[in-house]
Amino acid sequence: MNSAAKQNVDYKILIRVIAQAKPYSAVLSLAAVLAVVLAPVAIFRPYLVQVMVDEYIFKFDIPGLTTMALLFIGALVLESVLRYFFMYSSNWVGQAVVRDLRVKIFNHITSLRLSYFDRTPIGISTTRTISDIENINQVFSQGIITIIADFLTVFVVLGVMFWVSWKLTLVCLVTMPFLIAATYIFKESIKTSFQQVRAQIAKMNAFLQERLTGMRIVQIFNAEEQEMKKFKKINREYTQANIDSILAYSIFYPVVEIISAATLGLMVWYGARASLGNEVTLGALVAFPLYLNMLFRPIRMLADKFNTLQMGLVAAERVFNLIDRQDHIKNEGEISPEKFNGEVAFKNVWFAYNGLDWVLKDISFEIEKGETLALVGSTGSGKTSIISILNRLYDIQKGAIEIDGVDVREYELSAYRSRMAVVLQDVFLFSGTVLENITLRNDHISKEQVIEASKMIGAHEFIEKLPGGYDYQVMERGATLSMGQRQLISFVRALVFDPDILILDEATSSIDPESESVIQHAIETLIAKRTSIIIAHRLSTIRHADKILVMDKGLVKEYGTHEELLQIEDGKYRELYEMQFLQVGVA
Ligand code: UTP
Ligand code: MG
């Protein structure tokens, strides 16, 4: 019951995988036709042998024999050529489908909402785009068509055998139940060990990826040895899984050998007697072992191929599951403003990452055009969450966020985001040049604009000094640049996009007074003349803001201007101010 249901699902996936080859249906059809043609062509050679023995060798027809030999060679060449085209076309379709799927997946992943990435390890997404998809290729290259070709061969061979001598064929088939049983057992055992192998590979990949990314921590904390132990354990399990699968092979192949040898023995024993009694010709007796070989080989391979097909379908199922995920932020709005006026309003907004634990509770505030709002609050109070939902990285559950009096959900998503720039707490740089990191390969931004923006921010000087200047190659995640430099680059990135609303998550790390004044100047340049929201940690930034919102555990604790908030007796802001003020005073 259960397995029947599973078969059903597999069948559906198979159809869907084949449907991916639609643009290449001509090549796929060619492969299918070749598969059909190959079966009779292959059987032609043993048949020629049989005819040669019966009609020419024993009749001493030497010229006739030469013709037959040439025919034999011709058949061999024809078969090789057909086989070449068959393999090439079926593999080609597989690769073409895989290429298309990779693009599809990448496209899909980049539009998924962030909550998907919060829940899914990076390793999983890479596995889907690279190795799972590679397995789908096998559905074409080793799966369906070859299986069809093998079945055809088996049927054609059996047909010819019956036609030549049904008695001899029946004798040969006596061992068939054993072969089928052995194949079935092999197929099942290899399936589990294959799955084991794949699971272990995934585990090893994930482990390695994480350690490589966090190599700094591993080395700083002297954790090499412990990590080594963990790696050894994973490595052992991986090896064991491989050995298990080898075990299945090393039992199966000898068993098949024994069965085919027994079959051959039976055939010779019966065939020789029958031949003596003139029931079968000598030619048939010579050709039968060749037929048998053609019968056994595909059957022996079928188990393997079914497994490969199965694996490909499992991979396909995973890939399709990802493609089918409708985890996008809804983009149903139609308003695409050229520009925002810059009025932002939160109206009783409630938000939870997982839909259960409220991270923001009943948040309300308003910012006028050109104003700056400073968000203040202890760590984990929900500041970053406020800007994430404003940027529509996540959807809110209750309340409304409005820009220029219109609910954000009514704007077209990319138009909406393009009018807004976000500078994040931890700056992320991609590998590429400084220039590319600033423009993000947007062709509408010229190098002159970038240089101008850099000068305004105060980053031009240090970028110029880098080897290659704006063409300096940033390593992955910007590892070769200092924190402050990365910050400045991200400021330039925001400024060249000239957003109507600027959001800044100020870095928490303290910096030296000199850089502090550079950063301060940069921030002032950024927020000048536009609506800004700054998650501020430094008093100098906070004091310049038009309004201050003090967050506490997801709630708005205090809201007002600097002067207003200082008036509140036992106020959180006042406490914060006095603490920082004292520090500054002491220093
Ligand atoms: P925030 O990330 O909004 O806090 O997380 P914050 O105010 O900006 O903190 P700092 O100053 O940068 O440190 C608010 C709450 O949301 C949860 C966090 O656990 C925290 O309790 N959170 C955050 C999630 O559940 N998922 C996330 O992806 C991020
Ligand atoms: Mg934060």
Side-chain angles (χ1 to χ4, degrees):
M1 180 74 200
N2 203 358
S3 80
K6 176 101 183 116
Q7 286 294 321
N8 204 10
V9 172
D10 282 357
Y11 177 65
K12 269 191 205 144
I13 295 170
L14 181 62
I15 301 262
R16 194 165 164 194
V17 171
I18 297 172
Q20 304 296 315
K22 210 172 165 200
Y24 315 106
S25 52
V27 186
L28 190 65
S29 319
L30 174 73
V33 169
L34 286 172
V36 174
V37 174
L38 263 169
V41 170
I43 195 80
F44 191 52
R45 278 186 297 127
Y47 180 68
L48 274 180
V49 171
Q50 181 187 340
V51 176
M52 271 195 256
V53 172
D54 283 344
E55 305 294 327
Y56 298 91
I57 296 182
F58 282 97
K59 293 183 180 160
F60 302 104
D61 181 352
I62 303 300
L65 195 59
T66 314
T67 319
M68 288 307 276
L70 287 176
L71 202 57
F72 187 88
I73 293 173
L76 193 61
V77 171
L78 179 68
E79 192 191 334
S80 306
V81 171
L82 288 179
R83 209 167 277 285
Y84 161 80
F85 280 112
F86 171 64
M87 284 185 60
Y88 191 87
S89 55
S90 54
N91 275 284
W92 187 91
V93 171
Q95 290 296 340
V97 166
V98 163
R99 180 191 56 207
D100 292 354
L101 269 179
R102 267 194 218 108
V103 173
K104 217 182 252 179
I105 281 263
F106 183 75
N107 218 340
H108 189 76
I109 287 181
T110 50
S111 67
L112 283 174
R113 67 168 95 193
L114 274 193
S115 51
Y116 166 78
F117 299 97
D118 294 346
R119 290 190 310 263
T120 319
I122 292 180
I124 301 277
S125 302
T126 17
T127 314
R128 292 291 173 275
T129 19
I130 299 174
S131 62
D132 274 349
I133 283 199
E134 202 48 55
N135 275 334
I136 296 179
N137 168 35
Q138 296 177 341
V139 173
F140 290 95
S141 61
Q142 298 188 37
I144 34 173
I145 306 179
T146 33
I147 289 178
I148 293 172
D150 284 350
F151 267 119
L152 276 175
T153 312
V154 168
F155 283 122
V156 174
V157 171
L158 272 179
V160 172
M161 283 167 74
F162 269 107
W163 176 64
V164 172
S165 163
W166 63 271
K167 279 187 189 161
L168 205 51
T169 310
L170 283 184
V171 170
C172 294
L173 289 186
V174 166
T175 54
M176 201 46 79
F178 297 102
L179 183 64
I180 291 173
T183 307
Y184 181 76
I185 294 170
F186 170 70
K187 178 176 170 291
E188 289 305 303
S189 74
I190 200 95
K191 189 161 131 192
T192 35
S193 53
F194 264 1
Q195 275 160 354
Q196 272 293 317
V197 169
R198 290 206 58 77
Q200 294 299 337
I201 292 181
K203 215 164 147 189
M204 194 175 234
N205 271 339
F207 181 84
L208 206 59
Q209 187 162 27
E210 220 180 352
R211 296 319 113 149
L212 290 179
T213 321
M215 190 52 75
R216 233 168 241 259
I217 305 296
V218 172
Q219 294 187 352
I220 288 174
F221 287 95
N222 268 326
E224 291 99 331
E225 195 144 319
Q226 292 90 306
E227 296 302 324
M228 193 55 173
K229 272 189 200 143
K230 250 192 242 167
F231 183 76
K232 275 187 178 158
K233 182 166 174 283
I234 296 176
N235 194 23
R236 260 200 310 275
E237 286 166 358
Y238 177 43
T239 312
Q240 192 54 49
N242 269 321
I243 289 178
D244 287 348
S245 72
I246 294 168
L247 183 74
Y249 276 96
S250 56
I251 294 177
F252 178 65
Y253 280 120
V255 167
V256 171
E257 285 304 315
I258 291 171
I259 294 175
S260 54
T263 314
L264 195 64
L266 261 179
M267 186 225 98
V268 173
W269 169 75
Y270 179 84
R273 287 186 348 175
S275 173
L276 290 178
N278 269 340
E279 265 180 72
V280 290
T281 65
L282 209 54
L285 204 55
V286 174
F288 246 73
L290 300 178
Y291 292 141
L292 272 185
N293 194 25
M294 292 190 72
L295 192 64
F296 270 87
R297 208 191 34 173
I299 293 180
R300 194 177 57 198
M301 309 273 264
L302 265 178
D304 231 5
K305 284 180 183 160
F306 262 121
N307 275 323
T308 315
L309 182 65
Q310 182 88 20
M311 301 292 279
L313 291 182
V314 169
E317 189 176 8
R318 286 198 211 131
V319 170
F320 288 146
N321 275 344
L322 179 54
I323 290 184
D324 292 343
R325 274 192 97 98
Q326 286 309 317
D327 239 357
H328 307 282
I329 289 282
K330 282 203 183 65
N331 188 7
E332 289 165 352
E334 285 170 359
I335 309 174
S336 307
E338 280 289 305
K339 242 178 134 33
F340 280 143
N341 199 23
E343 293 148 22
V344 180
F346 271 52
K347 296 189 170 166
N348 310 96
V349 171
W350 290 72
F351 169 66
Y353 284 96
N354 53 13
L356 288 172
D357 308 312
W358 297 115
V359 164
L360 297 177
K361 297 168 217 164
D362 203 24
I363 304 287
S364 298
F365 63 83
E366 274 174 35
I367 318 171
E368 299 298 323
K369 175 184 166 73
E371 274 187 348
T372 300
L373 173 81
L375 285 177
V376 183
S378 48
T379 180
S381 57
K383 305 180 297 292
T384 305
S385 308
I386 287 188
I387 63 172
S388 297
I389 57 173
L390 177 57
N391 201 239
R392 299 205 60 202
L393 293 175
Y394 301 90
D395 274 331
I396 58 172
Q397 280 85 4
K398 283 194 260 181
I401 304 174
E402 291 177 2
I403 306 269
D404 297 345
V406 177
D407 193 294
V408 291
R409 282 166 284 205
E410 288 177 33
Y411 291 107
E412 197 280 321
L413 191 60
S414 65
Y416 176 79
R417 284 198 183 136
S418 70
R419 299 314 315 146
M420 211 178 266
V422 186
V423 179
L424 291 176
Q425 218 165 4
D426 36 39
V427 179
F428 193 95
L429 297 184
F430 298 92
S431 38
T433 65
V434 170
L435 189 69
E436 285 167 346
N437 264 293
I438 292 172
T439 62
L440 296 179
R441 299 175 206 272
N442 182 332
D443 298 328
H444 298 299
I445 302 169
S446 70
K447 188 166 179 181
E448 287 68 42
Q449 281 171 290
V450 171
I451 293 177
E452 192 190 310
S454 303
K455 281 184 180 155
M456 283 170 74
I457 291 287
H460 182 68
E461 217 174 297
F462 101 81
I463 297 177
E464 278 280 88
K465 281 190 195 137
L466 292 170
Y470 283 85
D471 294 324
Y472 175 73
Q473 279 288 335
V474 178
M475 292 297 132
E476 202 180 70
R477 277 169 287 126
T480 48
L481 293 171
S482 80
M483 200 80 139
Q485 290 171 331
R486 275 182 252 169
Q487 194 88 49
L488 288 177
I489 289 179
S490 73
F491 286 168
V492 180
R493 193 193 270 170
L495 191 62
V496 286
F497 277 88
D498 190 25
D500 304 321
I501 296 170
L502 181 99
I503 300 166
L504 178 79
D505 202 344
E506 210 176 51
T508 23
S509 56
S510 54
I511 35 180
D512 59 285
E514 197 185 332
S515 320
E516 162 112 17
S517 76
V518 174
I519 300 270
Q520 185 59 37
H521 163 78
I523 292 178
E524 277 164 22
T525 315
L526 268 180
I527 64 176
K529 295 191 299 243
R530 61 184 114 231
T531 308
S532 321
I533 298 178
I534 305 184
I535 298 179
H537 300 286
R538 295 167 314 127
L539 211 53
S540 50
T541 321
I542 303 170
R543 282 190 70 161
H544 284 105
D546 299 294
K547 280 177 194 157
I548 299 163
L549 186 96
V550 184
M551 295 286 302
D552 187 38
K553 301 191 187 84
L555 287 162
V556 176
K557 184 91 178 193
E558 291 159 23
Y559 177 47
T561 63
H562 175 71
E563 280 73 27
E564 282 168 2
L565 294 190
L566 279 188
Q567 299 303 315
I568 305 173
E569 290 281 336
D570 298 327
K572 198 168 161 80
Y573 182 73
R574 187 164 161 173
E575 184 190 334
L576 202 82
Y577 177 76
E578 280 165 0
M579 250 166 54
Q580 285 222 5
F581 194 67
L582 266 174
Q583 277 177 1
V584 176
V586 170

